Amino acid sequence: MTTEARKGIVSFSITDRGALYSSYLSFVNNGGLFVPTARTYALGDEIFLLLKVMDDDSLVPLTSTVVWVTPAGAQGNKTPGIGVQFNDDDNGATRKVIENHLAANLTGDRPTQTM
């Protein structure tokens, strides 16, 4: 059985390093982010993400795939949202930008939105 992936446009702005750290998904290929949202998505859904990172004024358009879902009412009062994986057409550019902002924090042991 196959389901058609739902497409959507999601705008996400991260303005501080702590929020970027807790949202970054370093463990997925090409990198990704946890995006808080009340909308319902399923694993494998494709979304178009408009991302603003820190002090960069531009919105980066990214085609992404949902790889994580935290539903409303999740155990531990976790923020509802989705984890998205940046697709190959980004060529790792967004991952590099994020990791440059987080260079000193990538090996930290603080909790994140997903793990």
Side-chain angles (χ1 to χ4, degrees):
M1 181 172 139
T2 61
T3 57
E4 184 179 332
R6 292 173 293 201
K7 294 190 178 200
I9 298 173
V10 177
S11 183
F12 186 44
S13 178
I14 300 177
T15 57
D16 75 50
R17 196 166 275 106
L20 183 59
Y21 175 85
S22 71
S23 295
Y24 182 52
L25 304 177
S26 62
F27 55 87
V28 299
N29 289 337
N30 299 329
L33 288 171
F34 177 82
V35 180
T37 182
R39 290 161 122 183
T40 302
Y41 291 92
L43 295 177
D45 283 352
E46 185 176 88
I47 67 161
F48 190 72
L49 182 66
L50 295 172
L51 177 65
K52 181 183 178 307
V53 178
M54 305 292 283
D55 53 0
D56 187 354
D57 290 331
S58 63
L59 287 175
V60 177
L62 297 162
T63 303
S64 305
T65 303
V66 175
V67 296
W68 183 283
V69 176
T70 302
Q75 183 178 1
N77 294 322
K78 288 282 196 177
T79 302
I82 55 173
V84 297
Q85 176 182 21
F86 307 142
N87 289 359
D88 291 336
D89 55 353
D90 183 51
N91 293 319
T94 302
R95 178 184 197 128
K96 287 177 189 168
V97 167
I98 291 170
E99 289 182 354
N100 282 340
H101 283 291
L102 297 177
N105 302 94
L106 283 176
T107 58
D109 57 359
R110 291 185 337 198
T112 67
Q113 294 285 359
T114 55
M115 298 180 95

